[in-house]
Amino acid sequence: MIKMSEKYIFFDLDNTLHSFSAVYKQATAEAFREINSKYPALSHNAIASAYKKIQQAAETHAFVERKTSRQYRSERFSTLLQHFGIKDPALVKHAVSVYGATIEKNMKPNRGVHEMLGRLREKNVLCLVSEGPSDAQRKALKILGLEPFFSHIFISSEAGKVKQDGGLFRHALKQLGCLPNQVIHVGDSIRDILGASKAGIKVIWVNPKRARLQKNSPAPSAQVRTVQAIEKIIARKTSRPVLQRIPKKKVQKKPKIRPLIRKPK
């Protein structure tokens, strides 16, 4: 349930305010193409499959080691080549440059995000709560033109804390000097839902693909298909629940067979 005692709105960045997944797909494809051009025996599918596992393992730490984006990317591409028994520092450096340039070239905010943040900022304090290397996150904010909308910015690599266990959210609350019931968090991932819930913060889940929650996962206070739709929810000055759940398939019940009662002749 969302009550309008909230003063602060926390926003995730990647895949909430801009489509990072689409840009990431373009950037990795370009980098893989460079690797394949030098080592034709490595197929795109083989490279992509190996890189996906490396990336997933890296995300477990959620960028709290305070390294730069170039360091993280160099480690990933170096590990990728080592997976195939290749040691080629020059290619790693080139792949990192191609990847980074493609990210920056194709990054753009989601439609209507600037206007939405501008309206919300008039009556609320907007804060960014995001995971990633500090330099990459802050550069993305500038490229996307989002930096001026946020009064406070909290990034995992700067705080040394992650979302999933609630640590990054608690850190933000402490720095702001506010209570969990004064905050709504808007994010797209399960990490957003788990972490914010553990910190006692209500969550609006941006769920464009109508994904299903994991078993035993806390339920968000509301869910929307697009981030722009949160305005309608926040504007409702009501304490009635606004949880929008995806309807389950109805199972047709078999009709009960009643015994035939014969009338006496």
Side-chain angles (χ1 to χ4, degrees):
M1 141 181 340
I2 294 179
K3 296 181 181 179
M4 291 298 35
S5 60
E6 292 86 356
K7 179 183 178 184
Y8 298 87
I9 305 177
F10 289 0
F11 279 93
D12 170 56
L13 177 59
D14 296 335
N15 293 320
T16 297
L17 299 177
H18 79 113
S19 183
F20 179 75
S21 292
V23 177
Y24 169 83
K25 188 175 181 180
Q26 289 175 294
T28 51
E30 290 294 329
F32 297 164
R33 192 174 291 113
E34 295 300 314
I35 294 171
N36 176 256
S37 67
K38 188 168 183 179
Y39 298 97
L42 302 180
S43 69
H44 177 89
N45 289 341
I47 296 171
S49 178
Y51 189 84
K52 183 178 180 180
K53 293 177 182 178
I54 293 166
Q55 176 69 16
Q56 288 174 339
E59 286 179 350
T60 303
H61 304 291
F63 308 105
V64 293
E65 297 94 341
R66 300 178 190 272
K67 297 177 184 176
T68 66
S69 58
R70 178 166 283 274
Q71 287 175 311
Y72 280 115
R73 293 166 186 174
S74 295
E75 288 176 0
R76 291 202 300 268
F77 282 108
S78 179
T79 302
L80 174 64
L81 293 181
Q82 288 174 16
H83 175 79
F84 297 104
I86 300 170
K87 187 175 182 180
D88 192 334
L91 180 57
V92 168
K93 186 177 180 179
H94 179 60
V96 168
S97 296
V98 169
Y99 176 91
T102 307
I103 287 278
E104 293 175 17
K105 179 183 177 181
N106 294 283
M107 193 180 289
K108 58 184 179 180
N110 287 339
R111 182 180 173 185
V113 161
H114 282 191
E115 294 79 3
M116 176 199 70
L117 293 176
R119 289 188 294 269
L120 290 174
R121 187 177 58 171
E122 293 176 1
K123 296 182 180 180
N124 304 276
V125 178
L126 307 188
C127 306
L128 186 84
V129 180
S130 186
E131 292 180 321
S134 174
D135 65 312
Q137 294 287 287
R138 290 190 176 275
K139 192 168 189 177
L141 285 172
K142 290 182 179 180
I143 293 172
L144 296 167
L146 298 175
E147 192 176 33
F149 294 103
F150 296 105
S151 302
H152 305 273
I153 295 171
F154 303 100
I155 301 172
S156 60
S157 58
E158 295 176 359
K161 299 179 186 300
V162 299
K163 283 183 178 179
Q164 190 157 332
D165 62 3
L168 186 58
F169 293 102
R170 294 188 193 97
H171 170 76
L173 292 173
K174 184 177 180 181
Q175 294 298 311
L176 294 169
C178 65
L179 299 172
N181 64 4
Q182 293 177 285
V183 181
I184 298 172
H185 177 65
V186 182
D188 72 293
S189 73
I190 299 300
R191 297 177 70 88
D192 288 295
I193 298 172
L194 289 174
S197 297
K198 287 180 180 178
I201 296 171
K202 292 182 284 294
V203 184
I204 298 177
W205 183 24
V206 181
N207 183 19
K209 295 182 179 179
R210 292 184 177 271
R212 296 283 183 179
L213 286 173
Q214 298 173 350
K215 288 185 178 180
N216 302 320
S217 173
S221 297
Q223 63 175 286
V224 293
R225 295 290 299 277
T226 65
V227 70
Q228 294 88 341
I230 72 166
E231 280 191 273
K232 292 181 180 179
I233 294 174
I234 292 172
R236 291 174 188 168
K237 297 182 181 296
T238 175
S239 61
R240 293 178 64 187
V242 294
L243 179 61
Q244 302 170 12
R245 304 190 75 90
I246 298 170
K248 295 181 179 179
K249 291 182 179 179
K250 293 182 179 180
V251 179
Q252 292 183 347
K253 295 181 179 180
K254 294 182 179 180
K256 292 182 180 180
I257 300 174
R258 295 181 179 179
L260 178 63
I261 301 175
R262 295 179 180 271
K263 292 183 179 181
K265 292 182 180 180

